Amino acid sequence: MMTSENSGSVAPTVKQRKPRGAGAFRSKPQASIETLSQEGAKRNFGSATADTQNVPSHPLPQMSQRRNTESVTSPALAALIENEIPTFVLPTKITPWKFQDRQMAELDGDSDYEDLVNEIRAWWVISPILVRKLSVVNPEGYEYEEIAGFKRLSAAMRVNPSRPMPVVVKELSDLEALQLQRSENEGRSRPCQWSMANFYKLVLAEGLVKTTMDLAVMYKIDRTSASHYIRVAEDMPQDFIDSFDLYAFSLNALRSLVAETNKEVGTDRSELIDRIVELADAIAKKPDNAVKLIEKCASDFRSRNTAKTEAPARKAFNSQKGKVLTTKQGASSLSFTLHEAAIDPDIYGEVESAILAILEKKGLKMAEKS
């Protein structure tokens, strides 16, 4: 169910051989629609051939043209369904699983996914997806939930939602389904990092695994990376979710967004988020530079803020007798210096009383420290 990979620009010579396994309902090279239907009938795939009016009228592609690995069953899934006869179900009766590790939004602009869509438009769905039957039909009319085969299901929905597609129905626990979903990804490109972060957060929050360490063991990642994924999903500012295509971000770029903003609080945090959002177009053009752009923006923001607070505000006051008072305001302090022209026997007590009166008026309870 993961992203597809091309086998290369030069198509190898393909030997015709007898199909094997549940993913074997495929036509021979240059098979006609009629031949394909006969082949389906021989293998008891009656539902597959009952809808031949929906099969494209243009010639089917050569076997060597079928390059998309997403259209065939992965080894892990093939082993599970090897002796199963597929059932044919309308795509509109199948809902993605709650614990789906890939989001539809990340398929936008995915050239491999577009290849899969075109392949399914030409051949229809070649290999069955794995589903579980829902205990009750839900209000939207779904009868099954997809466990492995999300991209094939979404492509079938896009090409022809009224044409039945092959599925294998299995009774699986959530944990078994998670393990199969993980195995289905092996040898294929992974879902994007933002999808994985939200997926890991959901799996942990719903109690399918108890700890971050359990999560790391199940998905064969180190504990530190598992913690990073969870932190990214939990702490990502909503402004970034709304403004960026986070599906295109690397894990390091996602971490940078969260780490830099978490260093600030209050209005400073809000202002830094606004400054980073202004980088949306620049990051979209060069997503590989996202980390550098984010870190430089945060560094420049803090430099400007430091310059404002580190340069203390100083004021000096003179009288006819000369310099009387100097004030100095720092980042967290305020000092007053009375010079010789202002000094007389009573000045100390008068100034102290005035300052204490101001502080008490602001609600501070003053007591002399012994």
Side-chain angles (χ1 to χ4, degrees):
M1 57 183 283
M2 297 297 96
T3 36
S4 56
E5 297 174 0
N6 293 340
S7 59
S9 57
V10 179
T13 302
V14 177
K15 296 181 180 179
Q16 297 186 28
R17 61 182 180 181
K18 184 178 179 180
R20 298 182 301 167
F25 50 106
R26 59 188 70 170
S27 62
K28 296 174 183 175
Q30 296 181 319
S32 65
I33 295 172
E34 181 180 357
T35 303
L36 182 64
S37 299
Q38 293 171 351
E39 186 70 16
K42 285 193 298 182
R43 297 181 181 278
N44 296 319
F45 297 163
S47 298
T49 61
D51 196 25
T52 54
Q53 68 270 23
N54 289 323
V55 178
S57 58
H58 54 75
L60 293 173
Q62 298 282 343
M63 288 288 284
S64 59
Q65 290 177 274
R66 291 180 52 251
R67 300 176 299 130
N68 200 311
T69 60
E70 190 59 40
S71 63
V72 296
T73 308
S74 69
L77 185 55
L80 177 71
I81 65 177
E82 183 173 4
N83 297 316
E84 301 284 345
I85 300 298
T87 299
F88 287 81
V89 176
L90 288 172
T92 53
K93 298 293 184 181
I94 308 169
T95 182
W97 188 30
K98 175 181 179 179
F99 297 102
Q100 182 59 245
D101 59 1
R102 187 188 295 278
Q103 301 301 313
M104 194 64 208
E106 72 180 85
L107 300 181
D108 292 341
D110 183 342
S111 60
D112 287 337
Y113 177 67
E114 292 304 316
D115 288 343
L116 174 63
V117 170
N118 291 331
E119 187 170 313
I120 285 178
R121 185 173 286 115
W123 287 76
W124 194 229
V125 180
I126 295 170
S127 187
I129 69 171
L130 180 65
V131 302
R132 293 192 305 193
K133 191 168 181 62
L134 296 172
S135 57
V136 294
V137 177
N138 73 5
E140 288 78 23
Y142 295 122
E143 299 177 17
Y144 302 88
E145 59 182 357
E146 167 268 325
I147 301 300
F150 172 72
K151 292 181 73 175
R152 275 168 282 166
L153 173 61
S154 61
M157 281 289 294
R158 179 170 159 184
V159 171
N160 191 347
S162 63
R163 180 176 181 180
M165 66 182 296
V167 307
V168 169
V169 184
K170 283 284 189 182
E171 292 185 8
L172 300 166
S173 68
D174 284 344
L175 188 58
E176 289 171 331
L178 281 179
Q179 292 168 338
L180 274 171
Q181 183 175 249
R182 182 205 65 199
S183 298
E184 175 78 351
N185 296 345
E186 293 178 354
R188 307 184 185 199
S189 58
R190 288 161 52 85
C192 75
Q193 301 301 298
W194 177 236
S195 287
M196 292 306 299
N198 286 284
F199 168 68
Y200 290 150
K201 175 188 173 184
L202 179 62
V203 168
L204 194 60
E206 293 288 330
L208 271 69
V209 294
K210 300 301 182 184
T211 66
T212 304
M213 178 58 77
D214 293 337
L215 182 72
V217 171
M218 173 177 282
Y219 287 94
K220 300 179 181 179
I221 57 177
D222 61 84
R223 185 177 181 179
T224 300
S225 294
S227 297
H228 290 327
Y229 279 114
I230 300 301
R231 175 63 61 83
V232 159
E234 289 180 341
D235 291 359
M236 185 63 66
Q238 187 63 43
D239 285 317
F240 293 160
I241 296 173
D242 295 338
S243 303
F244 289 108
D245 177 15
L246 295 181
Y247 296 102
F249 279 50
S250 67
L251 178 59
N252 282 340
L254 294 171
R255 287 181 57 205
S256 183
L257 286 173
V258 170
E260 294 298 344
T261 52
N262 279 354
K263 292 176 183 177
E264 307 296 337
V265 296
T267 57
D268 283 346
R269 187 173 188 271
S270 298
E271 289 177 9
L272 177 56
I273 288 173
D274 289 341
R275 299 290 81 74
I276 294 176
V277 165
E278 292 172 0
L279 298 174
D281 290 341
I283 291 176
K285 291 178 181 177
K286 294 185 177 180
D288 290 343
N289 290 343
V291 174
K292 291 181 180 179
L293 290 169
I294 294 165
E295 291 180 348
K296 184 177 187 305
C297 177
S299 177
D300 291 346
F301 174 81
R302 294 187 183 101
S303 294
R304 288 194 293 270
N305 279 4
T306 300
K308 291 178 183 178
T309 57
E310 284 188 349
R314 299 173 63 95
K315 293 182 180 179
F317 298 88
N318 293 337
S319 73
Q320 70 277 15
K321 295 184 179 180
K323 192 173 185 180
V324 177
L325 172 67
T326 301
T327 63
K328 180 179 177 182
Q329 182 177 357
S332 59
S333 64
L334 179 63
S335 63
F336 298 86
T337 302
L338 290 172
H339 297 281
E340 185 177 0
I343 300 298
D344 65 37
D346 301 320
I347 192 69
Y348 181 84
E350 293 172 354
V351 170
E352 182 183 75
S353 297
I355 292 174
L356 290 174
I358 292 171
L359 296 177
E360 288 174 352
K361 188 176 180 180
K362 291 183 175 294
L364 298 176
K365 295 181 179 180
M366 311 301 297
E368 184 174 353
K369 185 177 179 180
S370 57

